[in-house]
Amino acid sequence: MDSHALGQRLDRIVKQVRELDDGDRHPIEVNRGVDPELTALALVDVGGEQVSAGDADFAFPIQSMSKAFAYGLAIDTVGLDEVFRHVDVEPSGDAFNRISLAEGDRPDNPMINAGALTVHALLPGGNCTERFQAVHELLSHMAGRELSVNEELFEEELASADRNLGIAHLLKALGVLDADPHDVVEGYTRQCAIEATTVDFARMAATLAHDGVVPGTDERSLTSRAARQVLSVMMTCGMYDDAGEWVTAVGLPGKSGISGGIIAAVPGTCGIAAYSPRLDQHGSSVRGIRALELLSGGLGLHLLRPGLAQL
Ligand code: GLU
């Protein structure tokens, strides 16, 4: 890739989206105390080369972006069939914390909280500490460094996790969840508090784009099958009740988190991450979505554009 030209493009986009000052339309206040002007964009190609712009070295919590990676790890732990037996792959069109259950009482997909809690319980280990360690290890491996955890955020979110606890108890009562609901919510909440930079998140997304192999290395962190499954579900369900608009505008598998991060993957090419804490009504970053739209449009990354297939 032409890193210089790409760097300039990213700089231009960050400058442009910094002018957007709307947002804060989401009722959740998890980003309290964070500078709302922070804005970053990063791209890592499958060879491991990286380009970034803005506040790309600022670390922030992974939140729901973790759901995509935990899903891949669960698939590699218990197998796709077993995961599918617990969680469906249908877009619910609902907000992240709605209790959306498909036929057979399975959560609709792994990107809403009901599905993510169920998936967390399928990670390797018999308790929340071990399950957390497994997902933390996976994410650190992809990022190429040991990631930290925002313990303060973890404590705060756990203390007010009534809704997730309610969902977990219902899933247990329905027989979808085998593990202890409190233990699962604790592990899941800590999973959401893992912190990384926009560049780290672009590397994680690039690992998905690179078929599960960490960019710039020969090290596989997810199987090819798991990586493909994760990207497929990100494409249809990654942006909650905004998934349709996202796919039409950006045309890439993506996943947002309530901290203001968004990851997107261009299969076989690169991973992209954007960050800015101002949120829209769906809980996604206003500037982040716009940055991804501009980058996808400018580089012709929309996967459904004509001319992709060379038969
Ligand atoms: N920790 C949040 C929750 O599960 C994550 C939500 C999100 O990032 O969308 O409630």
Side-chain angles (χ1 to χ4, degrees), residues 198-217:
T198 307
V199 171
D200 293 326
F201 286 121
R203 276 181 65 88
M204 295 177 202
T207 305
L208 296 176
H210 197 21
D211 206 31
V213 176
V214 180
T217 75

Side-chain angles (χ1 to χ4, degrees), residues 214-231:
V214 180
T217 75
D218 295 328
E219 295 163 24
R220 182 167 281 288
S221 67
L222 289 175
T223 61
S224 176
R225 187 67 189 92
R228 193 182 86 194
Q229 184 76 11
V230 171
L231 290 178

Side-chain angles (χ1 to χ4, degrees), residues 3-285:
S3 306
H4 183 66
L6 203 51
Q8 287 182 328
R9 184 185 288 274
L10 263 55
D11 278 335
R12 277 198 306 275
I13 293 176
V14 165
K15 202 160 168 244
Q16 204 174 328
V17 300
R18 275 196 203 275
E19 277 160 30
L20 295 173
D21 60 3
D22 57 340
D24 302 331
R25 274 184 277 155
H26 197 274
I28 288 189
E29 275 193 59
V30 281
N31 301 331
R32 222 177 27 244
V34 177
D35 178 1
E37 296 308 326
L38 287 167
T39 307
L41 185 58
L43 184 150
V44 174
D45 74 8
V46 293
E49 235 186 292
Q50 70 185 55
V51 183
S52 63
D55 309 292
D57 294 327
F58 176 79
F60 61 93
I62 188 169
Q63 292 287 16
S64 279
M65 293 185 287
S66 68
K67 293 170 177 172
F69 303 100
Y71 183 48
L73 182 55
I75 291 168
D76 282 344
T77 306
V78 297
L80 185 56
D81 290 345
E82 185 63 7
V83 176
F84 188 65
R85 210 173 61 75
H86 286 81
V87 184
D88 206 345
V89 290
E90 294 304 328
S92 66
D94 285 336
F96 71 99
N97 56 6
R98 292 295 289 271
I99 306 176
S100 312
L101 301 178
E103 224 176 292
D105 292 333
R106 281 176 306 164
D108 274 322
N109 66 68
M111 301 299 162
I112 52 167
N113 285 14
L117 289 162
T118 309
V119 162
H120 182 86
L122 299 174
L123 297 181
N127 57 50
C128 65
T129 308
E130 289 171 4
R131 288 191 282 261
F132 165 78
Q133 270 165 1
V135 72
H136 179 253
E137 209 170 284
L138 177 86
L139 294 167
S140 296
H141 185 210
M142 289 178 176
R145 67 184 187 92
E146 173 93 3
L147 298 174
S148 58
V149 179
N150 186 332
E151 292 295 343
E152 205 183 315
L153 176 81
F154 162 67
E155 297 290 351
E156 202 178 308
E157 287 209 322
L158 190 62
S160 59
D162 298 319
R163 196 168 177 108
N164 282 341
L165 279 167
I167 294 173
H169 276 285
L170 179 64
L171 291 169
K172 179 83 195 273
L174 292 170
V176 178
L177 203 62
D178 303 323
D180 171 58
H182 284 266
D183 197 61
V184 171
V185 170
E186 185 174 333
Y188 165 79
T189 307
R190 180 163 265 159
Q191 168 189 311
C192 287
I194 294 171
E195 289 197 318
T197 67
T198 307
V199 171
D200 293 326
F201 286 121
R203 276 181 65 88
M204 295 177 202
T207 305
L208 296 176
H210 197 21
D211 206 31
V213 176
V214 180
T217 75
D218 295 328
E219 295 163 24
R220 182 167 281 288
S221 67
L222 289 175
T223 61
S224 176
R225 187 67 189 92
R228 193 182 86 194
Q229 184 76 11
V230 171
L231 290 178
S232 307
V233 175
M234 281 168 61
M235 190 81 179
T236 50
C237 314
M239 305 298 282
Y240 307 125
D241 42 345
D242 197 28
E245 208 173 316
W246 163 267
V247 172
T248 52
V250 180
L252 296 172
K255 182 76 205 82
S256 63
I258 208 131
S259 45
I262 304 179
I263 51 167
V266 188
T269 305
C270 65
I272 306 167
Y275 172 64
S276 178
R278 293 180 193 272
L279 304 179
D280 64 16
Q281 69 272 32
H282 308 288
S284 300
S285 170

